[in-house]
Amino acid sequence: MVTKKKHSKTAQQHDSPKSHSYSISPLYSLLIVCVLGIIIYSDSMTASFHFDDFHTIVNNNAIYNLYDIHTIWNNPLHGKFRFLGFLSFALNYHFSNTNVFGYHVVNLLLHLLDSVCVWWLVMLLLSTPVMCKKTISKNKEFIALACALLFVSHPMQTQAVTYIAQRFASLATLFYLLTLCFYIKARLIQYGHARILFFLLSVLAAFSGLFTKEIIFTLPFALILFEMGFFHTGDFKQIITSKKTVYYILPVLLFLVLIPILLFISYRNIFFVFEPVISNRPNDPLLTSRIYLFTQFRVIVSYIRLLFIPIHQNIDHDIPASLSFFGAATVSGFLFLTALFIYAVWIYPRKRLASIGILWFFLTLSIESSFKPLANVMFEHRLYLPMFGFSLFFVSTLYDLIWERSKKATGIIFIVIIGIFSVLSFQRNMVWKNEISLWADAAKKSPLKSRPHINLGRAYYNNGNIEEGYTEFVKAQKIEPDNMLVNNNIGYFLFTKGKIKEALQYYEKASSMKVHDGTYMYSADIAVNYGAALVMDGQYEKGLEMYLSAIGMNRENIVKLRNVADYLAQNGKLDVAVTFYTGLLSFVPDDLEVIKKIVPIMLQRGNNEESLAILSKALKLRPDSSELQTLTGHTLYNLGRAEEAVDHYREAVRLNPDDINAHMGIARCLKELGKTDEADKELSRASELMRKTQLSGPK
């Protein structure tokens, strides 16, 4: 509920010639924020998995068992440092497997909680010693609501909310904002147990943030910024000499000393090793710290443009690397950002909220947009936490410009802006519906970048649109001829069309390319595809070599090689099939399915010694297999070693009394050894088992 409050004449003269302020019930404010957020994201609850979702969630066996905390903790994908994020994914997987609805519900819930924290934090900031005497504090309910609505509705937030894997950003932001809320709440309480409680909650939230995402590393500086900006009215010199500095010295000691030491010991490669990385943009050089920093001068300007004019959003922006500082765009970006920073310092004494909003933006973006190179130079979800600073700056600036002239006009402008942002966010979420819609949008906006075409082509393939997929892969190859995945995918298309010779050319090119930047996981698939084409072309030896290399990279390819060997056996190429089966047994010597297929072929061809060698290795690993014991008996019998064969047959019967072949084998050996009566008994037993088998057949 909105109410208009009149101030006393004295208060009016002291603060402003204007006479009214507006109070909005906290319950109504939070209800408006949450309802708007639910409406904006209501159509995104069934958006499919995208991009990093597959290796973070779908194919990440570290989250499959909620109770295996050790595996979740040691997840190779930033496991320890993002433990709470992966734990939340494990909870989702436990209850809904890979049903996207549950994941989206959690992401939206986190976004709503973050927006509520924005509201609370602004309310607290406007109650601090520096702000409470300013005119703007009389309308803190309006300012807080406007900031929260801007935060919840801005289109740039969609990537952190609808893109499931970016839960790390929203979860880290939650702990980040809670730490500040609890800290400021404690500072506003003069004494008592409540103050201690809120300080402890602040420490707990900060500690939890350590296990969400690396952006939490800037939290100590944010604490200092707020302490100095909202609790000390003097200039910098007075702040330094004041006895009250203990209030921000303590968080400095806690967060700037203890936590960084912990981070350095456990995660020093994350923060302190600035090794060059390979750009995801074709033909760009290695991204060194220097090149990455120069590029960020342009990227940050693009971020600012998107904050004010959120159009042409893109999951995969095409930003060429800045090789030199002296490029026109790089220099102009640097000058603009420098001017913006100077402006923030200049307005600091008079417009504290706007100033700290700008400083917050630079601070919270610094981890991902400064010296440490990242393969993706620009990602929209990196603006999720900085969005609070933008909201603070935008709302307070608009308030300063218009409020005192016309409160009604101010309200209308805010409603229009929030309405436009809400519509844009709703429309942007429609782009995230599925892989085709997302990557078609990216390919349209970044036509000279290969990755959108590759991912769009793969999406078409998975959807059964083979021809459309091939078209996208051809586009990608023209941009990046030496891309491993592009050549593999084109080869696969040609293979499915029966153009084996042409497919081999692309597979050969793909398999010979250097593995880097996470593409190792695809190398096994390329080897399998190449191997299949070689087999179809009759190049069996080289085909087997490719399959074995694929198994060396990913043992799940054992099944694929077994299928190829079966295909060869079924088509009468027994000698080749035996070679393939033997290759399989070099990895899994006790693979019963393979042994059951290769041994009969060997026995039929008189390769008894080779058969016995295979069975001997398998029996050492699986002595309790009745089938292996029976096959060994067959082999020994063929070698004229009937007495040894009987021992293995009897062991097979001990393990499985209903093994007809073992009983028949015993009878055959005993007859050869002259033990006719015993042989007849075994034959009778085998005949009885055969009758029972026939009687218990299909009804």
Side-chain angles (χ1 to χ4, degrees):
M1 179 177 289
V2 180
T3 60
K4 184 185 293 185
K5 299 189 295 186
K6 291 186 177 181
H7 300 292
S8 67
K9 185 176 181 180
T10 304
Q12 293 174 40
Q13 292 173 344
H14 177 75
D15 293 311
S16 169
K18 304 301 177 182
S19 58
H20 302 298
S21 63
Y22 289 82
S23 175
I24 306 173
S25 166
L27 180 60
Y28 281 108
S29 294
L30 298 181
L31 187 62
I32 291 169
V33 170
C34 291
V35 169
L36 180 61
I38 292 171
I39 292 172
I40 290 172
Y41 289 92
S42 60
D43 198 39
S44 67
M45 294 294 102
T46 57
S48 65
F49 288 115
H50 296 292
F51 209 16
D52 288 347
D53 289 340
F54 292 101
H55 73 261
T56 301
I57 302 168
V58 180
N59 301 319
N60 183 9
N61 56 17
I63 67 166
Y64 291 173
N65 185 355
L66 176 61
Y67 305 106
D68 189 357
I69 301 298
H70 180 268
T71 300
I72 299 173
W73 174 263
N74 290 293
N75 192 327
L77 302 172
H78 306 285
K80 299 181 181 66
F81 201 73
R82 298 191 178 188
F83 168 71
L84 292 179
F86 283 113
L87 182 62
S88 74
F89 289 135
L91 279 165
N92 272 128
Y93 192 88
H94 178 77
F95 289 107
S96 57
N97 202 285
T98 55
N99 186 328
V100 294
F101 182 79
Y103 294 88
H104 285 298
V105 168
V106 174
N107 275 28
L108 177 56
L109 179 60
L110 286 172
H111 185 48
L112 297 179
L113 289 173
D114 288 332
S115 303
V116 169
C117 285
V118 167
W119 176 88
W120 188 26
L121 184 54
V122 175
M123 290 286 289
L124 291 170
L125 292 178
L126 290 171
S127 303
T128 57
V130 170
M131 299 302 301
C132 67
K133 295 180 181 180
K134 295 182 180 293
T135 305
I136 194 173
S137 68
K138 292 183 173 63
N139 300 287
K140 61 183 179 182
E141 291 89 352
F142 173 80
I143 301 299
L145 176 58
C147 287
L149 288 174
L150 188 60
F151 186 92
V152 80
S153 66
H154 201 290
M156 293 303 289
Q157 302 293 68
T158 54
Q159 184 160 310
V161 182
T162 309
Y163 183 5
I164 298 173
Q166 296 312 323
R167 179 183 299 177
F168 297 110
S170 58
L171 186 59
T173 295
L174 178 62
F175 290 123
Y176 203 111
L177 295 176
L178 281 174
T179 300
L180 293 167
C181 287
F182 290 141
Y183 177 79
I184 294 173
K185 182 67 176 177
R187 290 284 281 110
L188 292 174
I189 299 173
Q190 296 299 316
Y191 54 84
H193 296 297
R195 189 181 203 198
I196 297 173
L197 174 62
F198 279 108
F199 270 130
L200 291 176
L201 287 173
S202 177
V203 173
L204 178 62
F207 186 76
S208 299
L210 285 174
F211 304 99
T212 52
K213 195 177 181 184
E214 296 84 339
I215 55 175
I216 205 75
F217 191 65
T218 61
L219 179 56
F221 303 97
L223 280 166
I224 295 173
L225 180 65
F226 278 20
E227 175 67 35
M228 296 176 65
F230 295 108
F231 288 94
H232 298 275
T233 56
D235 58 23
F236 186 73
K237 182 178 180 181
Q238 290 174 319
I239 292 173
I240 294 297
T241 58
S242 171
K243 293 180 180 179
K244 293 183 179 180
T245 53
V246 67
Y247 289 121
Y248 62 86
I249 287 176
L250 287 178
V252 170
L253 293 176
L254 177 62
F255 293 106
L256 289 182
V257 178
L258 297 179
I259 291 178
I261 289 175
L262 174 63
L263 292 174
F264 182 79
I265 293 173
S266 302
Y267 313 110
R268 52 186 173 273
N269 287 337
I270 294 177
F271 293 106
F272 305 103
V273 178
F274 301 139
E275 294 180 353
V277 299
I278 297 172
S279 171
N280 61 48
R281 189 177 184 276
N283 305 319
D284 269 2
L286 282 174
L287 294 176
T288 63
S289 293
R290 178 179 60 84
I291 292 175
Y292 188 78
L293 178 63
F294 293 163
T295 306
Q296 289 305 303
F297 294 147
R298 293 167 33 239
V299 168
I300 296 174
V301 172
S302 296
Y303 282 148
I304 294 172
R305 192 271 301 168
L306 286 167
L307 288 173
F308 284 96
I309 309 174
I311 58 175
H312 300 301
Q313 287 183 255
N314 191 353
I315 189 178
D316 202 3
H317 290 274
D318 189 4
I319 309 292
S322 295
L323 305 184
S324 170
F325 174 76
F326 296 101
T330 304
V331 171
S332 60
F334 172 77
L335 292 176
F336 172 78
L337 297 176
T338 302
L340 184 60
F341 182 82
I342 293 172
Y343 173 74
V345 175
W346 181 61
I347 65 173
Y348 180 82
R350 304 181 309 282
K351 300 178 180 180
R352 193 63 57 92
L353 287 181
S355 174
I356 288 183
I358 296 172
L359 296 176
W360 172 284
F361 174 79
F362 283 120
L363 174 64
T364 53
L365 199 56
S366 61
I367 291 294
E368 295 169 310
S369 292
S370 55
F371 294 100
K372 182 169 179 60
L374 299 172
N376 299 291
V377 298
M378 182 177 181
F379 257 154
E380 291 176 6
H381 66 264
R382 293 172 186 167
L383 286 178
Y384 191 80
L385 178 58
M387 183 64 69
F388 172 74
F390 172 74
S391 301
L392 208 59
F393 166 80
F394 187 85
V395 172
S396 62
T397 300
L398 198 58
Y399 175 90
D400 289 339
L401 291 173
I402 304 175
W403 181 268
E404 295 300 342
R405 295 191 180 116
S406 174
K407 298 176 178 61
K408 184 177 181 180
T410 306
I412 292 173
I413 291 173
F414 272 122
I415 290 172
V416 170
I417 291 173
I418 297 303
I420 292 173
F421 282 175
S422 298
V423 171
L424 290 176
S425 292
F426 190 87
Q427 291 177 338
R428 181 61 185 168
N429 279 325
M430 295 177 66
V431 174
W432 286 87
K433 267 297 184 185
N434 54 62
E435 284 280 85
I436 292 178
S437 60
L438 179 65
W439 291 108
D441 176 77
K444 180 180 178 181
K445 294 171 180 175
S446 300
L448 300 181
K449 196 172 185 179
S450 60
R451 185 165 65 181
H453 294 292
I454 294 172
N455 289 337
L456 178 58
R458 188 183 294 117
Y460 279 135
Y461 261 64
N462 294 337
N463 197 50
N465 303 333
I466 308 300
E467 296 291 341
E468 291 90 337
Y470 175 71
T471 299
E472 292 301 320
F473 291 136
V474 170
K475 290 179 182 178
Q477 199 209 26
K478 290 179 180 178
I479 298 169
E480 193 176 6
D482 294 330
N483 185 289
M484 175 191 293
L485 302 183
V486 171
N487 284 279
N488 174 60
N489 291 329
I490 292 177
Y492 181 78
F493 172 83
L494 294 170
F495 180 83
T496 59
K497 294 294 183 180
K499 300 178 180 180
I500 306 301
K501 295 290 185 183
E502 295 176 56
L504 283 171
Q505 295 176 10
Y506 285 95
Y507 284 142
E508 183 176 6
K509 189 174 182 180
S511 65
S512 64
M513 289 176 183
K514 185 179 180 182
V515 177
H516 59 67
D517 191 29
T519 55
Y520 182 84
M521 69 180 74
Y522 301 107
S523 299
D525 294 335
I526 293 171
V528 166
N529 291 343
Y530 191 16
L534 288 166
V535 169
M536 293 298 292
D537 194 50
Q539 301 182 51
Y540 302 120
E541 185 176 345
K542 192 173 181 180
L544 176 59
E545 180 184 333
M546 295 308 302
Y547 271 106
L548 294 179
S549 68
I551 294 173
M553 289 182 275
N554 184 351
R555 292 182 69 85
E556 292 180 3
N557 288 310
I558 285 174
V559 176
K560 296 178 181 178
L561 179 54
R562 183 190 298 156
N563 291 338
V564 173
D566 291 345
Y567 166 81
L568 292 168
Q570 292 164 7
N571 283 273
K573 301 184 183 301
L574 297 181
D575 289 336
V576 180
V578 166
T579 303
F580 275 63
Y581 284 135
T582 303
L584 267 172
L585 292 175
S586 66
F587 285 96
V588 191
D590 61 336
D591 189 328
L592 188 57
E593 293 302 313
V594 171
I595 292 172
K596 285 162 62 176
K597 293 169 182 175
I598 190 174
V599 167
I601 297 174
M602 287 183 163
L603 295 181
Q604 181 182 351
R605 293 177 168 250
N607 300 332
N608 297 303
E609 293 291 349
E610 292 87 340
S611 173
L612 186 60
I614 290 172
L615 290 166
S616 296
K617 288 182 181 180
L619 277 174
K620 289 180 181 179
L621 298 171
R622 299 180 61 177
D624 57 347
S625 170
S626 64
E627 291 176 287
L628 286 176
Q629 295 288 357
T630 299
L631 287 172
T632 303
H634 292 340
T635 302
L636 288 168
Y637 179 82
N638 283 0
L639 287 169
R641 296 156 63 177
E643 290 186 4
E644 295 177 62
V646 169
D647 292 338
H648 285 279
Y649 284 135
R650 291 193 187 281
E651 179 63 15
V653 169
R654 187 188 69 78
L655 293 168
N656 180 13
D658 295 333
D659 189 331
I660 297 173
N661 289 325
H663 285 289
M664 293 289 290
I666 293 172
R668 182 173 53 179
C669 290
L670 290 175
K671 188 173 183 180
E672 185 170 309
L673 293 171
K675 301 177 181 180
T676 307
D677 293 340
E678 293 181 51
D680 291 341
K681 290 180 181 179
E682 289 296 333
L683 282 173
S684 298
R685 177 60 179 158
S687 299
E688 182 181 349
L689 288 172
M690 291 177 68
R691 284 195 299 272
K692 286 183 178 180
T693 301
Q694 292 171 353
L695 290 173
S696 62
K699 300 292 189 291

